[in-house]
Amino acid sequence: MSENKCRCPWLDNTKPDYVEYHDQEWGVPVYDDRKIFEFLILESAQAGLSWYTILKRRQGYKAAFENFDVHKVAKYNQDNVETLMLNSEIIRNRGKINAAINNAKLFIEIQQAFGSFSDYMWGFVNNKTIVNEYTELSDYPATSIESDAWSKDLKKRGFKFIGSTICYAHMQACGMVNDHSLNCYKRKQLIAEYQQD
């Protein structure tokens, strides 16, 4: 981890695990459905909390939700919910836990309808990363036209804990938008590495 690199203004550079997430994952285009499902579970759990709060519990979520196997999570019942409510490695919020199970079932329905969740998701940005130009923390939006449209569609399909703000955070994490700041070293690197023609 090179300390002289310029990074995004939202990042707390004193937290090595947060820096690693920024450098290795945030904004990298994701097409793998298991990884997408992981981010959806984590981001819906984040509602009302900081991303770092969830990031620190990522391994706990991985264990609690069967390594993010959507088919296994979709079969969870109320006994599983009660067990998860006792699990200090995750956020013990009944609504969020039930939402993860509900969303897993609907995730599979989308896979069946579109071939993959990835194909469905990327369709909201015309299968190409939107590259934004932000410098200050105050420049960053909480939502976008695309996240509004995607959130509306997900809600129509029955998804829970998936508002436009959560959808936009997901789009940032999964590289549907490149929101690395203009002076962040990762911005140009991602543009060069993932040319989507």
Side-chain angles (χ1 to χ4, degrees):
M1 185 174 78
S2 175
E3 291 310 319
N4 59 0
K5 286 178 178 170
C6 191
R7 293 181 171 89
C8 293
W10 55 263
L11 180 65
D12 183 343
N13 287 289
T14 66
K15 295 170 176 166
D17 50 350
Y18 211 5
V19 173
E20 184 183 358
Y21 169 72
H22 168 275
D23 288 2
Q24 302 299 322
E25 291 189 83
W26 197 70
V28 175
V30 177
Y31 302 97
D32 175 71
D33 273 10
R34 186 184 289 249
K35 192 78 171 171
I36 290 167
F37 181 60
E38 173 182 357
F39 275 121
L40 282 176
I41 281 190
L42 296 176
E43 276 137 13
S44 64
Q46 183 198 344
L49 303 167
S50 76
W51 174 243
Y52 189 65
T53 298
I54 303 302
L55 195 63
K56 286 188 298 183
R57 290 170 171 79
R58 193 175 191 175
Q59 286 307 311
Y61 272 94
K62 186 176 182 179
F65 288 97
E66 311 278 351
N67 194 25
F68 304 108
D69 183 321
V70 70
H71 292 278
K72 289 180 179 176
V73 176
K75 292 185 175 121
Y76 277 14
N77 57 29
Q78 276 311 116
D79 288 340
N80 297 109
V81 173
E82 296 309 321
T83 301
L84 290 170
M85 283 296 291
L86 300 173
N87 187 342
S88 62
E89 300 296 309
I90 66 169
I91 302 300
R92 289 174 284 186
N93 177 300
R94 193 176 296 277
K96 290 177 179 180
I97 291 167
N98 280 319
I101 300 164
N102 170 75
N103 295 351
K105 293 171 185 169
L106 299 171
F107 191 99
I108 293 167
E109 286 181 13
I110 286 175
Q111 286 179 318
Q112 290 166 346
F114 289 83
S116 71
F117 193 92
S118 173
D119 285 349
Y120 159 75
M121 177 181 94
W122 278 92
F124 286 90
V125 290
N126 295 317
N127 302 302
K128 190 171 182 181
T129 299
I130 296 168
V131 180
N132 290 314
E133 297 185 350
Y134 303 134
T135 308
E136 307 296 329
L137 193 55
S138 58
D139 295 340
Y140 285 83
T143 61
S144 68
I145 293 166
E146 293 82 10
S147 70
D148 288 347
W150 188 27
S151 168
K152 188 177 176 183
D153 191 70
L154 286 169
K155 284 179 180 173
K156 194 171 72 180
R157 293 172 186 275
F159 278 73
K160 308 289 185 195
F161 275 93
I162 299 277
S164 187
T165 301
I166 287 171
C167 282
Y168 192 72
H170 182 86
M171 290 167 69
Q172 290 176 312
C174 293
M176 295 167 74
V177 294
N178 180 347
D179 273 0
H180 283 280
S181 59
L182 283 168
N183 56 357
C184 177
Y185 86 97
K186 279 297 286 189
R187 184 176 187 274
K188 284 181 182 172
Q189 194 181 87
L190 287 173
I191 292 168
E193 209 170 324
Y194 297 95
Q195 289 293 349
Q196 300 155 316
D197 298 317

